[in-house]
Amino acid sequence: MNRAGILAVVGFEILSCAVLAACGGKYEVHKETRLVLGTVVEITIGHPDRDLARMASKEAFDEIERVDALLSNHNPQSEIAGLNASGAAEATAVSEEVFALLERAEGIRVASAGAFDVTVGPLVELWAFDQGGRVPEDAAIASSLASVGGTRLELDEKAGTVRFLAEGMKIDLGAIGKGYAVDRAAAILESAGIESAIIDAGGDIRLLGSRPGKDFWRIRVKHPRKVSRPLVDLDLAETAIVTSGDYERFFMVGETRYHHILDPRTGMPARLCQSVTVVAPDTAGADAYATAAFVLGPEEGLRYLRSLPGVEGIIVDAKGELLWTDEEKMGQ
Ligand code: ADP
Ligand code: MG
């Protein structure tokens, strides 16, 4: 299970009663949960028409499942798994959707000086966090690093093709794909006329509008170490909020914590942060920026987040200190 519940949405108790009187009208609240994207995904919709909400929720989940089947490394039928299995030594055509996401990822790699890099696949396999994890030999890390690095990924925009310039390369969209799936689901809800909803994919959250009758949703960010305690509550509307932390997928060897956010430049888990929370216009962006800032560490990470338009964030550094891009803008 991946990152479920890093962010809890406060106020569900009130919201989850079947009917909510708000804005002078009655709002039905429809809530549905499914296991998909390797995590618990929950969609909550506030809308006066219960049938419409139910139908919109189903369509949104169908879309998330479609995206998962397109991008997942765990599904051998997915386009990404197929590309990885082929080795892509020759230029290989991919769907427009996959190409667009790879181009977005490439832009984020460049802007983050290689901290975010979807070619980390060989390292992700080596650390085997999905099977509980193990510390690889130095030589194995060194040899995986020869198959890692976005500069070895050739994207031909005109032809819509992808080519791996080194042997053994593997793309892993684990740090952006979940956010992308959430954005697609949000687009489905919007086109169904839903104006008030929360899509929460194990901590990758997209808010449509605000809570019925209020002008925000209250989002609770968990403390990376004292998991039962809130780090902070944020009142947000019509935005995405994502947290990357070292406390969801990790194992300990003695006092050392090994976790799933890897520094693509060293092949080791990034050491400078405990968690990074990002608020951004879209969830795919927030997902990737959070991973990038985590790897960059508090100083560079804060500078990086501040350089992104419409983006704010909170970094918890290795000592547990909180750093904000702009505390006031985040309503504190
Ligand atoms: P979560 O998986 O908890 O949502 P992230 O969004 O930070 O957390 O994504 C971490 C996942 O992304 C890892 O499990 C791995 O598949 C992949 N990954 C790890 N390090 C990086 C990195 N530096 N750049 C891009 N992807 C990464
Ligand atoms: Mg991420």
PDB file of all heavy atoms in Angstrom, residues 27-56:
ATOM      1  N   TYR A  27     -27.266  19.395  -0.828  1.00  0.00           N
ATOM      2  CA  TYR A  27     -26.192  18.708  -1.531  1.00  0.00           C
ATOM      3  C   TYR A  27     -26.132  17.259  -1.102  1.00  0.00           C
ATOM      4  O   TYR A  27     -25.963  16.967   0.072  1.00  0.00           O
ATOM      5  CB  TYR A  27     -24.845  19.371  -1.226  1.00  0.00           C
ATOM      6  CG  TYR A  27     -24.573  20.524  -2.122  1.00  0.00           C
ATOM      7  CD1 TYR A  27     -25.119  21.770  -1.845  1.00  0.00           C
ATOM      8  CD2 TYR A  27     -23.807  20.367  -3.267  1.00  0.00           C
ATOM      9  CE1 TYR A  27     -24.896  22.841  -2.679  1.00  0.00           C
ATOM     10  CE2 TYR A  27     -23.576  21.441  -4.109  1.00  0.00           C
ATOM     11  CZ  TYR A  27     -24.121  22.677  -3.808  1.00  0.00           C
ATOM     12  OH  TYR A  27     -23.896  23.734  -4.638  1.00  0.00           O
ATOM     13  N   GLU A  28     -26.262  16.359  -2.041  1.00  0.00           N
ATOM     14  CA  GLU A  28     -25.974  14.960  -1.764  1.00  0.00           C
ATOM     15  C   GLU A  28     -24.464  14.807  -1.748  1.00  0.00           C
ATOM     16  O   GLU A  28     -23.761  15.481  -2.503  1.00  0.00           O
ATOM     17  CB  GLU A  28     -26.531  14.070  -2.873  1.00  0.00           C
ATOM     18  CG  GLU A  28     -28.039  14.077  -2.982  1.00  0.00           C
ATOM     19  CD  GLU A  28     -28.717  13.252  -1.898  1.00  0.00           C
ATOM     20  OE1 GLU A  28     -28.014  12.417  -1.283  1.00  0.00           O
ATOM     21  OE2 GLU A  28     -29.908  13.452  -1.657  1.00  0.00           O
ATOM     22  N   VAL A  29     -23.966  13.948  -0.868  1.00  0.00           N
ATOM     23  CA  VAL A  29     -22.536  13.673  -0.875  1.00  0.00           C
ATOM     24  C   VAL A  29     -22.318  12.226  -1.265  1.00  0.00           C
ATOM     25  O   VAL A  29     -22.832  11.322  -0.623  1.00  0.00           O
ATOM     26  CB  VAL A  29     -21.903  13.955   0.499  1.00  0.00           C
ATOM     27  CG1 VAL A  29     -20.445  13.535   0.498  1.00  0.00           C
ATOM     28  CG2 VAL A  29     -22.029  15.432   0.816  1.00  0.00           C
ATOM     29  N   HIS A  30     -21.603  12.046  -2.352  1.00  0.00           N
ATOM     30  CA  HIS A  30     -21.334  10.698  -2.835  1.00  0.00           C
ATOM     31  C   HIS A  30     -19.856  10.397  -2.633  1.00  0.00           C
ATOM     32  O   HIS A  30     -18.994  11.153  -3.059  1.00  0.00           O
ATOM     33  CB  HIS A  30     -21.692  10.591  -4.318  1.00  0.00           C
ATOM     34  CG  HIS A  30     -21.501   9.223  -4.871  1.00  0.00           C
ATOM     35  ND1 HIS A  30     -20.303   8.786  -5.396  1.00  0.00           N
ATOM     36  CD2 HIS A  30     -22.348   8.176  -4.950  1.00  0.00           C
ATOM     37  CE1 HIS A  30     -20.434   7.529  -5.769  1.00  0.00           C
ATOM     38  NE2 HIS A  30     -21.663   7.128  -5.524  1.00  0.00           N
ATOM     39  N   LYS A  31     -19.585   9.283  -1.955  1.00  0.00           N
ATOM     40  CA  LYS A  31     -18.198   8.912  -1.694  1.00  0.00           C
ATOM     41  C   LYS A  31     -17.955   7.483  -2.173  1.00  0.00           C
ATOM     42  O   LYS A  31     -18.761   6.593  -1.894  1.00  0.00           O
ATOM     43  CB  LYS A  31     -17.920   9.007  -0.187  1.00  0.00           C
ATOM     44  CG  LYS A  31     -16.429   9.036   0.126  1.00  0.00           C
ATOM     45  CD  LYS A  31     -16.146   8.796   1.577  1.00  0.00           C
ATOM     46  CE  LYS A  31     -16.360  10.012   2.429  1.00  0.00           C
ATOM     47  NZ  LYS A  31     -15.637   9.906   3.713  1.00  0.00           N
ATOM     48  N   GLU A  32     -16.868   7.277  -2.911  1.00  0.00           N
ATOM     49  CA  GLU A  32     -16.555   5.942  -3.429  1.00  0.00           C
ATOM     50  C   GLU A  32     -15.058   5.698  -3.310  1.00  0.00           C
ATOM     51  O   GLU A  32     -14.261   6.599  -3.527  1.00  0.00           O
ATOM     52  CB  GLU A  32     -16.990   5.866  -4.900  1.00  0.00           C
ATOM     53  CG  GLU A  32     -17.010   4.464  -5.455  1.00  0.00           C
ATOM     54  CD  GLU A  32     -17.483   4.433  -6.913  1.00  0.00           C
ATOM     55  OE1 GLU A  32     -18.082   5.421  -7.401  1.00  0.00           O
ATOM     56  OE2 GLU A  32     -17.224   3.401  -7.563  1.00  0.00           O
ATOM     57  N   THR A  33     -14.696   4.471  -2.944  1.00  0.00           N
ATOM     58  CA  THR A  33     -13.285   4.127  -2.757  1.00  0.00           C
ATOM     59  C   THR A  33     -12.945   2.904  -3.593  1.00  0.00           C
ATOM     60  O   THR A  33     -13.718   1.952  -3.640  1.00  0.00           O
ATOM     61  CB  THR A  33     -13.033   3.792  -1.269  1.00  0.00           C
ATOM     62  OG1 THR A  33     -13.447   4.913  -0.488  1.00  0.00           O
ATOM     63  CG2 THR A  33     -11.569   3.527  -0.996  1.00  0.00           C
ATOM     64  N   ARG A  34     -11.805   2.943  -4.256  1.00  0.00           N
ATOM     65  CA  ARG A  34     -11.333   1.747  -4.972  1.00  0.00           C
ATOM     66  C   ARG A  34      -9.833   1.594  -4.774  1.00  0.00           C
ATOM     67  O   ARG A  34      -9.123   2.576  -4.584  1.00  0.00           O
ATOM     68  CB  ARG A  34     -11.585   1.867  -6.483  1.00  0.00           C
ATOM     69  CG  ARG A  34     -13.017   1.669  -6.878  1.00  0.00           C
ATOM     70  CD  ARG A  34     -13.103   1.399  -8.368  1.00  0.00           C
ATOM     71  NE  ARG A  34     -14.393   1.849  -8.892  1.00  0.00           N
ATOM     72  CZ  ARG A  34     -14.704   1.919 -10.177  1.00  0.00           C
ATOM     73  NH1 ARG A  34     -13.799   1.579 -11.093  1.00  0.00           N
ATOM     74  NH2 ARG A  34     -15.881   2.330 -10.572  1.00  0.00           N
ATOM     75  N   LEU A  35      -9.375   0.345  -4.873  1.00  0.00           N
ATOM     76  CA  LEU A  35      -7.934   0.083  -4.862  1.00  0.00           C
ATOM     77  C   LEU A  35      -7.433   0.141  -6.286  1.00  0.00           C
ATOM     78  O   LEU A  35      -7.740  -0.727  -7.098  1.00  0.00           O
ATOM     79  CB  LEU A  35      -7.677  -1.320  -4.292  1.00  0.00           C
ATOM     80  CG  LEU A  35      -7.604  -1.448  -2.783  1.00  0.00           C
ATOM     81  CD1 LEU A  35      -7.484  -2.911  -2.392  1.00  0.00           C
ATOM     82  CD2 LEU A  35      -6.428  -0.660  -2.232  1.00  0.00           C
ATOM     83  N   VAL A  36      -6.669   1.179  -6.601  1.00  0.00           N
ATOM     84  CA  VAL A  36      -6.125   1.331  -7.950  1.00  0.00           C
ATOM     85  C   VAL A  36      -4.887   2.226  -7.847  1.00  0.00           C
ATOM     86  O   VAL A  36      -4.717   2.909  -6.833  1.00  0.00           O
ATOM     87  CB  VAL A  36      -7.219   1.882  -8.927  1.00  0.00           C
ATOM     88  CG1 VAL A  36      -7.773   3.194  -8.454  1.00  0.00           C
ATOM     89  CG2 VAL A  36      -6.728   2.002 -10.353  1.00  0.00           C
ATOM     90  N   LEU A  37      -4.018   2.202  -8.838  1.00  0.00           N
ATOM     91  CA  LEU A  37      -2.762   2.958  -8.825  1.00  0.00           C
ATOM     92  C   LEU A  37      -1.872   2.505  -7.667  1.00  0.00           C
ATOM     93  O   LEU A  37      -1.056   3.273  -7.164  1.00  0.00           O
ATOM     94  CB  LEU A  37      -3.018   4.474  -8.688  1.00  0.00           C
ATOM     95  CG  LEU A  37      -3.873   5.161  -9.747  1.00  0.00           C
ATOM     96  CD1 LEU A  37      -4.211   6.594  -9.299  1.00  0.00           C
ATOM     97  CD2 LEU A  37      -3.164   5.218 -11.100  1.00  0.00           C
ATOM     98  N   GLY A  38      -2.063   1.274  -7.205  1.00  0.00           N
ATOM     99  CA  GLY A  38      -1.268   0.762  -6.096  1.00  0.00           C
ATOM    100  C   GLY A  38      -1.584   1.444  -4.781  1.00  0.00           C
ATOM    101  O   GLY A  38      -0.773   1.435  -3.856  1.00  0.00           O
ATOM    102  N   THR A  39      -2.752   2.046  -4.677  1.00  0.00           N
ATOM    103  CA  THR A  39      -3.105   2.745  -3.445  1.00  0.00           C
ATOM    104  C   THR A  39      -4.625   2.792  -3.286  1.00  0.00           C
ATOM    105  O   THR A  39      -5.353   2.253  -4.107  1.00  0.00           O
ATOM    106  CB  THR A  39      -2.486   4.171  -3.453  1.00  0.00           C
ATOM    107  OG1 THR A  39      -2.632   4.760  -2.173  1.00  0.00           O
ATOM    108  CG2 THR A  39      -3.132   5.058  -4.489  1.00  0.00           C
ATOM    109  N   VAL A  40      -5.078   3.420  -2.219  1.00  0.00           N
ATOM    110  CA  VAL A  40      -6.517   3.604  -2.025  1.00  0.00           C
ATOM    111  C   VAL A  40      -6.898   4.936  -2.663  1.00  0.00           C
ATOM    112  O   VAL A  40      -6.345   5.968  -2.308  1.00  0.00           O
ATOM    113  CB  VAL A  40      -6.866   3.658  -0.521  1.00  0.00           C
ATOM    114  CG1 VAL A  40      -8.366   3.836  -0.331  1.00  0.00           C
ATOM    115  CG2 VAL A  40      -6.375   2.411   0.188  1.00  0.00           C
ATOM    116  N   VAL A  41      -7.803   4.889  -3.603  1.00  0.00           N
ATOM    117  CA  VAL A  41      -8.266   6.124  -4.230  1.00  0.00           C
ATOM    118  C   VAL A  41      -9.694   6.393  -3.758  1.00  0.00           C
ATOM    119  O   VAL A  41     -10.544   5.507  -3.810  1.00  0.00           O
ATOM    120  CB  VAL A  41      -8.232   6.029  -5.770  1.00  0.00           C
ATOM    121  CG1 VAL A  41      -8.742   7.329  -6.386  1.00  0.00           C
ATOM    122  CG2 VAL A  41      -6.827   5.715  -6.257  1.00  0.00           C
ATOM    123  N   GLU A  42      -9.918   7.613  -3.297  1.00  0.00           N
ATOM    124  CA  GLU A  42     -11.247   7.975  -2.815  1.00  0.00           C
ATOM    125  C   GLU A  42     -11.735   9.221  -3.547  1.00  0.00           C
ATOM    126  O   GLU A  42     -11.013  10.215  -3.639  1.00  0.00           O
ATOM    127  CB  GLU A  42     -11.185   8.259  -1.314  1.00  0.00           C
ATOM    128  CG  GLU A  42     -12.551   8.551  -0.724  1.00  0.00           C
ATOM    129  CD  GLU A  42     -12.487   8.605   0.802  1.00  0.00           C
ATOM    130  OE1 GLU A  42     -12.055   9.644   1.325  1.00  0.00           O
ATOM    131  OE2 GLU A  42     -12.837   7.607   1.432  1.00  0.00           O
ATOM    132  N   ILE A  43     -12.942   9.119  -4.068  1.00  0.00           N
ATOM    133  CA  ILE A  43     -13.551  10.286  -4.721  1.00  0.00           C
ATOM    134  C   ILE A  43     -14.785  10.693  -3.930  1.00  0.00           C
ATOM    135  O   ILE A  43     -15.659   9.868  -3.666  1.00  0.00           O
ATOM    136  CB  ILE A  43     -13.922   9.981  -6.190  1.00  0.00           C
ATOM    137  CG1 ILE A  43     -12.664   9.610  -6.993  1.00  0.00           C
ATOM    138  CG2 ILE A  43     -14.625  11.185  -6.828  1.00  0.00           C
ATOM    139  CD1 ILE A  43     -12.900   9.346  -8.473  1.00  0.00           C
ATOM    140  N   THR A  44     -14.807  11.957  -3.531  1.00  0.00           N
ATOM    141  CA  THR A  44     -15.947  12.507  -2.789  1.00  0.00           C
ATOM    142  C   THR A  44     -16.542  13.627  -3.626  1.00  0.00           C
ATOM    143  O   THR A  44     -15.818  14.535  -4.060  1.00  0.00           O
ATOM    144  CB  THR A  44     -15.483  13.080  -1.440  1.00  0.00           C
ATOM    145  OG1 THR A  44     -14.759  12.065  -0.744  1.00  0.00           O
ATOM    146  CG2 THR A  44     -16.663  13.526  -0.600  1.00  0.00           C
ATOM    147  N   ILE A  45     -17.832  13.535  -3.861  1.00  0.00           N
ATOM    148  CA  ILE A  45     -18.493  14.533  -4.711  1.00  0.00           C
ATOM    149  C   ILE A  45     -19.659  15.151  -3.950  1.00  0.00           C
ATOM    150  O   ILE A  45     -20.459  14.431  -3.348  1.00  0.00           O
ATOM    151  CB  ILE A  45     -19.038  13.863  -6.001  1.00  0.00           C
ATOM    152  CG1 ILE A  45     -17.875  13.305  -6.838  1.00  0.00           C
ATOM    153  CG2 ILE A  45     -19.879  14.844  -6.819  1.00  0.00           C
ATOM    154  CD1 ILE A  45     -18.321  12.485  -8.034  1.00  0.00           C
ATOM    155  N   GLY A  46     -19.732  16.474  -3.965  1.00  0.00           N
ATOM    156  CA  GLY A  46     -20.909  17.155  -3.433  1.00  0.00           C
ATOM    157  C   GLY A  46     -21.733  17.686  -4.593  1.00  0.00           C
ATOM    158  O   GLY A  46     -21.232  18.486  -5.393  1.00  0.00           O
ATOM    159  N   HIS A  47     -22.956  17.197  -4.743  1.00  0.00           N
ATOM    160  CA  HIS A  47     -23.795  17.632  -5.858  1.00  0.00           C
ATOM    161  C   HIS A  47     -25.261  17.362  -5.508  1.00  0.00           C
ATOM    162  O   HIS A  47     -25.548  16.341  -4.879  1.00  0.00           O
ATOM    163  CB  HIS A  47     -23.414  16.887  -7.144  1.00  0.00           C
ATOM    164  CG  HIS A  47     -23.965  17.532  -8.380  1.00  0.00           C
ATOM    165  ND1 HIS A  47     -25.238  17.282  -8.834  1.00  0.00           N
ATOM    166  CD2 HIS A  47     -23.425  18.431  -9.235  1.00  0.00           C
ATOM    167  CE1 HIS A  47     -25.448  18.021  -9.931  1.00  0.00           C
ATOM    168  NE2 HIS A  47     -24.368  18.717 -10.193  1.00  0.00           N
ATOM    169  N   PRO A  48     -26.155  18.238  -5.916  1.00  0.00           N
ATOM    170  CA  PRO A  48     -27.563  18.009  -5.561  1.00  0.00           C
ATOM    171  C   PRO A  48     -28.154  16.738  -6.172  1.00  0.00           C
ATOM    172  O   PRO A  48     -29.082  16.163  -5.615  1.00  0.00           O
ATOM    173  CB  PRO A  48     -28.283  19.247  -6.139  1.00  0.00           C
ATOM    174  CG  PRO A  48     -27.216  20.261  -6.376  1.00  0.00           C
ATOM    175  CD  PRO A  48     -25.952  19.513  -6.625  1.00  0.00           C
ATOM    176  N   ASP A  49     -27.629  16.301  -7.307  1.00  0.00           N
ATOM    177  CA  ASP A  49     -28.215  15.146  -8.000  1.00  0.00           C
ATOM    178  C   ASP A  49     -27.389  13.887  -7.722  1.00  0.00           C
ATOM    179  O   ASP A  49     -26.298  13.715  -8.256  1.00  0.00           O
ATOM    180  CB  ASP A  49     -28.259  15.460  -9.502  1.00  0.00           C
ATOM    181  CG  ASP A  49     -28.894  14.331 -10.309  1.00  0.00           C
ATOM    182  OD1 ASP A  49     -28.945  13.180  -9.810  1.00  0.00           O
ATOM    183  OD2 ASP A  49     -29.329  14.623 -11.436  1.00  0.00           O
ATOM    184  N   ARG A  50     -27.950  13.014  -6.904  1.00  0.00           N
ATOM    185  CA  ARG A  50     -27.202  11.834  -6.465  1.00  0.00           C
ATOM    186  C   ARG A  50     -26.825  10.910  -7.638  1.00  0.00           C
ATOM    187  O   ARG A  50     -25.725  10.380  -7.695  1.00  0.00           O
ATOM    188  CB  ARG A  50     -28.055  11.053  -5.464  1.00  0.00           C
ATOM    189  CG  ARG A  50     -27.324   9.871  -4.856  1.00  0.00           C
ATOM    190  CD  ARG A  50     -28.252   8.964  -4.126  1.00  0.00           C
ATOM    191  NE  ARG A  50     -29.019   9.690  -3.111  1.00  0.00           N
ATOM    192  CZ  ARG A  50     -29.709   9.104  -2.144  1.00  0.00           C
ATOM    193  NH1 ARG A  50     -29.733   7.808  -2.051  1.00  0.00           N
ATOM    194  NH2 ARG A  50     -30.380   9.824  -1.269  1.00  0.00           N
ATOM    195  N   ASP A  51     -27.752  10.732  -8.573  1.00  0.00           N
ATOM    196  CA  ASP A  51     -27.482   9.827  -9.701  1.00  0.00           C
ATOM    197  C   ASP A  51     -26.364  10.372 -10.583  1.00  0.00           C
ATOM    198  O   ASP A  51     -25.510   9.634 -11.046  1.00  0.00           O
ATOM    199  CB  ASP A  51     -28.749   9.606 -10.531  1.00  0.00           C
ATOM    200  CG  ASP A  51     -29.769   8.798  -9.742  1.00  0.00           C
ATOM    201  OD1 ASP A  51     -29.345   8.070  -8.814  1.00  0.00           O
ATOM    202  OD2 ASP A  51     -30.971   8.919 -10.030  1.00  0.00           O
ATOM    203  N   LEU A  52     -26.409  11.683 -10.790  1.00  0.00           N
ATOM    204  CA  LEU A  52     -25.357  12.297 -11.598  1.00  0.00           C
ATOM    205  C   LEU A  52     -23.994  12.120 -10.918  1.00  0.00           C
ATOM    206  O   LEU A  52     -23.003  11.773 -11.556  1.00  0.00           O
ATOM    207  CB  LEU A  52     -25.663  13.783 -11.797  1.00  0.00           C
ATOM    208  CG  LEU A  52     -24.763  14.532 -12.772  1.00  0.00           C
ATOM    209  CD1 LEU A  52     -25.570  15.591 -13.514  1.00  0.00           C
ATOM    210  CD2 LEU A  52     -23.580  15.190 -12.086  1.00  0.00           C
ATOM    211  N   ALA A  53     -23.965  12.324  -9.608  1.00  0.00           N
ATOM    212  CA  ALA A  53     -22.705  12.189  -8.865  1.00  0.00           C
ATOM    213  C   ALA A  53     -22.190  10.751  -8.957  1.00  0.00           C
ATOM    214  O   ALA A  53     -20.998  10.516  -9.169  1.00  0.00           O
ATOM    215  CB  ALA A  53     -22.915  12.582  -7.411  1.00  0.00           C
ATOM    216  N   ARG A  54     -23.104   9.796  -8.821  1.00  0.00           N
ATOM    217  CA  ARG A  54     -22.701   8.387  -8.855  1.00  0.00           C
ATOM    218  C   ARG A  54     -22.120   8.027 -10.224  1.00  0.00           C
ATOM    219  O   ARG A  54     -21.083   7.376 -10.328  1.00  0.00           O
ATOM    220  CB  ARG A  54     -23.924   7.511  -8.547  1.00  0.00           C
ATOM    221  CG  ARG A  54     -23.558   6.056  -8.341  1.00  0.00           C
ATOM    222  CD  ARG A  54     -24.776   5.213  -8.024  1.00  0.00           C
ATOM    223  NE  ARG A  54     -25.393   5.563  -6.758  1.00  0.00           N
ATOM    224  CZ  ARG A  54     -26.707   5.616  -6.534  1.00  0.00           C
ATOM    225  NH1 ARG A  54     -27.553   5.359  -7.513  1.00  0.00           N
ATOM    226  NH2 ARG A  54     -27.168   5.919  -5.346  1.00  0.00           N
ATOM    227  N   MET A  55     -22.795   8.500 -11.267  1.00  0.00           N
ATOM    228  CA  MET A  55     -22.332   8.211 -12.636  1.00  0.00           C
ATOM    229  C   MET A  55     -20.976   8.875 -12.896  1.00  0.00           C
ATOM    230  O   MET A  55     -20.062   8.263 -13.448  1.00  0.00           O
ATOM    231  CB  MET A  55     -23.394   8.746 -13.623  1.00  0.00           C
ATOM    232  CG  MET A  55     -23.089   8.439 -15.073  1.00  0.00           C
ATOM    233  SD  MET A  55     -22.924   6.669 -15.358  1.00  0.00           S
ATOM    234  CE  MET A  55     -24.652   6.214 -15.431  1.00  0.00           C
ATOM    235  N   ALA A  56     -20.835  10.132 -12.461  1.00  0.00           N
ATOM    236  CA  ALA A  56     -19.577  10.861 -12.676  1.00  0.00           C
ATOM    237  C   ALA A  56     -18.433  10.158 -11.941  1.00  0.00           C
ATOM    238  O   ALA A  56     -17.325  10.013 -12.470  1.00  0.00           O
ATOM    239  CB  ALA A  56     -19.718  12.297 -12.180  1.00  0.00           C
TER     240      ALA A  56
END
